[in-house]
Amino acid sequence: MRNYDLEFLKRFSLVIGFLALVTLALIVLAAFLHRSLPAEVSPAAQARVQARIAPAGAVYAGATGAAAQAAAQAAALAAASANAAYGGTLDGKVIYDNLCSACHATGVGMAPTLQRAQWSARIAQGNDVLYRHAIEGFTGAGIMPPKGGNPGLTDEQVKATVDWMLGNLQ
């Protein structure tokens, strides 16, 4: 072997050794990073996934299905009433004092106050129109947000409040 061949083999061996060390360092780094990852999915993330992929409905069949369906409807009504605003109260005064008076006591956004003269044209349209405008919202002679801006109100609560307001016009 010639001298320059020996020199090449020395340098080539050094490069191969260096690359082997870099490879080992990368393997150790990858093992360290792998151990630092959490072993399990967090319970909160798992609950979010379960809620996202939960079935949208249920199938009920036969006599046992009818009983299960009735129980499911009762549970849904109980859950909905628990989530209703103001404890699900149908006392129009309570809802008016806590929500509606912000606009209807002062006339903000051209909201009619509890003066009969401001309501006469609206009353002429009928209660169904008043209910619909209060529930769905209305933009015209003023701005009425849907359910007074509180989506937690049930339709029955909104109707009870409209009835209370109409009964207390001056």
Side-chain angles (χ1 to χ4, degrees):
M1 238 188 223
R2 296 200 173 133
N3 206 11
Y4 59 85
D5 287 336
L6 288 175
E7 193 65 34
F8 171 78
L9 285 175
K10 283 182 188 177
R11 289 187 183 184
F12 185 72
S13 297
L14 285 175
V15 168
I16 294 296
F18 175 74
L19 290 176
L21 286 176
V22 168
T23 303
L24 285 175
L26 289 175
I27 290 171
V28 169
L29 178 66
F32 172 75
L33 290 176
H34 180 69
R35 273 189 246 119
S36 67
L37 294 175
E40 295 180 11
V41 176
S42 72
Q46 191 173 13
R48 285 193 308 267
V49 168
Q50 291 300 325
R52 191 174 61 241
I53 65 172
V59 176
Y60 300 104
T64 57
Q69 183 178 17
Q73 287 174 343
L77 283 174
S81 66
N83 292 332
Y86 308 111
T89 183
L90 293 177
D91 185 359
K93 179 171 176 34
V94 171
I95 298 169
Y96 176 83
D97 289 341
N98 287 300
L99 178 68
C100 308
S101 64
C103 297
H104 287 283
T106 60
V108 172
M110 298 176 56
T113 60
L114 294 181
Q115 302 297 320
R116 188 168 297 281
Q118 295 180 11
W119 284 86
S120 59
R122 291 173 174 85
I123 292 172
Q125 295 176 357
N127 283 356
D128 290 336
V129 172
L130 290 173
Y131 295 150
R132 189 178 67 232
H133 287 174
I135 293 169
E136 297 172 4
F138 177 73
T139 303
I143 298 171
M144 173 66 189
K147 295 186 178 183
N150 186 343
L153 289 173
T154 63
D155 291 353
E156 290 76 25
Q157 288 177 302
V158 174
K159 289 177 183 180
T161 306
V162 170
D163 291 338
W164 182 89
M165 290 172 69
L166 292 175
N168 288 284
L169 294 177
Q170 298 172 1

